[in-house]
Amino acid sequence: MNEERFYKLISRKLAGEATILELEELSEMLRQNEDFRNFVQKIEGSSFDAQKSSLEDALDSFDSIAWQLTELTEYSPEHSFDLTKPFVTKKSSKSNKYWRYGILIMAAVFILFCLAIDPFQFNQKASKVSNTEIITSKGQKSALTLSDGTKVWLNTDSKLIYANDFSGKSREVTLIGEAFFDVSHDKNKPFVIHTRDMHIKVLGTAFNVKAYPQDKSSEATLIRGSIQVSFTNRPNEQLILKPNEKIKFVNAQFKTSIKLEEAPLITVEKLLVEASDGSVTETAWTQGRLIFKSKPFIEMISELERRYDINITVEKEGIESKLFTAAFENETIEEVLNLLKMSYHFDFKLDKKNKLVLIY
């Protein structure tokens, strides 16, 4: 149940145990579900703008709640508990630390109790729409066909959320990670893909979307048809892509580190199609291939980690910015690294048992 997952994520966030992916999932839930946002308003006593919300907004909200809950035990009983006013902190002690944990547990129990009595009628909408989540772990991929006939190939370390029955005015799905879509045409019911920073609207077409939260940039690659791309933080801007075009933009958390004169935030470029077999670099993964063309080594690492379910640490100075061009299909991670080091010398140690690679 989405409600149970929502409250579990809130509890983990309040306890400081939520992972980056869980925080991203919680932020996405808040964007998509008005009832969840209303619940946050009731707790925090402040407004939550769904259109302008971001991961940072969500985390700030919950940080504020958690801070006030944990600081509550450091005040005398007569002190009024006002969520709209900051507290004056005192030095903590070991006993206060344990009280904080108690308060967090009580908060989680309270949230679950709210679910039981259903004060905001969460299950009213849930009863109307049944969603399915498909999750691929690192090193795994998945292929599926949606109820409208749309075919989806889900890449490694990705998640797709979709309605079991597209009964509304549009067919909407949510993607975290990478997927290739071959959308069934329906002029009366557009197909919409939501990612954290990007929203893609189509009628019937084939395209690839790459939107890993931890990556520096996200992109959409159009193979045939046309797509309309809009952005969460720039709702008034829309771009229409033509076949064999790709849009690429810097993800929100990396914008402050980018110099606009060196790299624009949004770029549109033509795809390079291999004359020999007609393959496209951006969609080669659907055939089990991994193609790099003038790719910085630091960006290749993320793709290698996802494909081979391994963690890579780089201690070799200067190698991260080097550009590599290579293609792989059935090679092991050891074979890949041996081939790559022929271009720029480096050594590596592979710990297969713990799935670790050290490059030095």
Side-chain angles (χ1 to χ4, degrees):
M1 292 292 292
N2 284 342
E3 292 91 345
E4 294 176 356
R5 180 62 177 166
F6 172 68
Y7 289 116
K8 180 179 180 180
L9 291 175
I10 286 184
S11 300
R12 287 181 60 77
K13 170 59 184 157
L14 291 176
E17 298 175 353
T19 65
I20 294 176
L21 287 179
E22 286 174 336
L23 295 177
E24 176 66 22
E25 182 182 356
L26 178 57
S27 178
E28 193 64 31
M29 282 186 167
L30 289 171
R31 288 195 194 93
Q32 294 189 9
N33 193 304
E34 183 179 359
D35 288 333
F36 293 164
R37 295 193 297 272
N38 289 338
F39 182 76
V40 173
Q41 291 179 31
K42 293 292 183 179
I43 296 178
E44 193 184 26
S46 61
S47 62
F48 190 95
D49 187 338
Q51 297 301 322
K52 296 181 180 180
S53 68
S54 64
L55 176 59
E56 183 178 355
D57 295 329
L59 299 190
D60 286 345
S61 297
F62 288 110
D63 282 339
S64 174
I65 296 169
W67 172 72
Q68 293 178 79
L69 285 172
T70 55
E71 292 296 330
L72 176 60
T73 60
E74 300 182 6
Y75 289 86
S76 59
E78 65 269 19
H79 185 84
S80 61
F81 183 50
D82 187 350
L83 288 177
T84 64
K85 296 180 180 180
F87 291 114
V88 179
T89 61
K90 294 184 178 181
K91 292 183 179 180
S92 61
S93 65
K94 184 177 292 186
S95 61
N96 281 336
K97 178 181 179 182
Y98 295 128
W99 273 103
R100 286 196 186 101
Y101 290 143
I103 289 294
L104 290 175
I105 294 173
M106 291 171 63
V109 172
F110 169 75
I111 291 171
L112 293 174
F113 175 74
C114 289
L115 173 62
I117 63 176
D118 197 25
F120 304 114
Q121 299 180 346
F122 287 112
N123 59 10
Q124 184 175 359
K125 289 185 178 180
S127 62
K128 297 179 181 180
V129 180
S130 179
N131 290 336
T132 296
E133 293 185 2
I134 301 295
I135 301 175
T136 57
S137 302
K138 288 184 177 180
Q140 298 180 342
K141 291 183 288 187
S142 180
L144 62 149
T145 301
L146 305 184
S147 59
D148 65 333
T150 293
K151 296 180 180 180
V152 183
W153 289 261
L154 195 62
N155 204 356
T156 179
D157 194 21
S158 301
K159 177 192 290 187
L160 182 72
I161 305 172
Y162 61 93
N164 293 332
D165 181 14
F166 293 124
S167 57
K169 295 182 179 180
S170 61
R171 300 167 287 168
E172 301 192 29
V173 303
T174 298
L175 173 67
I176 300 175
E178 183 172 18
F180 182 86
F181 296 86
D182 191 346
V183 178
S184 177
H185 182 78
D186 187 344
K187 65 178 181 181
N188 297 319
K189 188 175 292 189
F191 193 95
V192 182
I193 300 98
H194 299 288
T195 72
R196 183 187 59 183
D197 297 309
M198 179 172 57
H199 309 279
I200 302 170
K201 183 178 180 181
V202 302
L203 294 177
T205 185
F207 58 99
N208 192 78
V209 180
K210 186 178 182 181
Y212 287 101
Q214 66 271 33
D215 283 3
K216 185 176 180 179
S217 62
S218 296
E219 59 187 48
T221 302
L222 182 62
I223 304 302
R224 68 169 188 272
S226 65
I227 60 176
Q228 174 184 291
V229 183
S230 59
F231 309 94
T232 301
N233 294 328
R234 306 168 77 162
N236 296 325
E237 298 182 23
Q238 296 180 347
L239 292 174
I240 303 295
L241 286 190
K242 298 177 181 178
N244 293 327
E245 285 185 341
K246 177 176 74 173
I247 184 171
K248 184 176 181 180
F249 64 95
V250 177
N251 288 336
Q253 71 269 33
F254 293 98
K255 287 182 180 179
T256 56
S257 63
I258 298 295
K259 295 181 180 180
L260 295 180
E261 63 272 17
E262 295 179 0
L265 297 180
I266 299 176
T267 58
V268 178
E269 56 192 62
K270 281 285 186 181
L271 299 181
L272 295 177
V273 180
E274 292 291 340
S276 58
D277 57 6
S279 63
V280 176
T281 300
E282 289 76 7
T283 61
W285 66 267
T286 61
Q287 284 85 42
R289 303 175 64 194
L290 198 59
I291 300 178
F292 301 113
K293 289 186 177 180
S294 298
K295 191 89 165 180
F297 190 62
I298 188 63
E299 294 182 20
M300 291 174 55
I301 288 175
S302 296
E303 297 194 38
L304 292 174
E305 287 181 325
R306 286 191 286 260
R307 181 181 178 102
Y308 293 100
D309 186 17
I310 201 163
N311 292 317
I312 301 175
T313 301
V314 179
E315 293 184 353
K316 173 76 172 180
E317 293 185 4
I319 192 68
E320 293 183 340
S321 60
K322 297 297 184 181
L323 303 181
F324 287 79
T325 296
F328 306 104
E329 188 167 355
N330 298 317
E331 290 84 354
T332 65
I333 183 61
E334 187 172 10
E335 291 171 334
V336 168
L337 293 173
N338 278 320
L339 289 170
L340 290 176
K341 75 176 188 178
M342 295 174 65
S343 298
Y344 299 98
H345 178 71
F346 62 83
D347 290 312
F348 67 90
K349 292 180 180 179
L350 173 61
D351 183 348
K352 294 183 179 180
K353 180 179 179 180
N354 296 306
K355 298 182 178 181
L356 298 174
V357 172
L358 173 65
I359 293 177
Y360 60 96

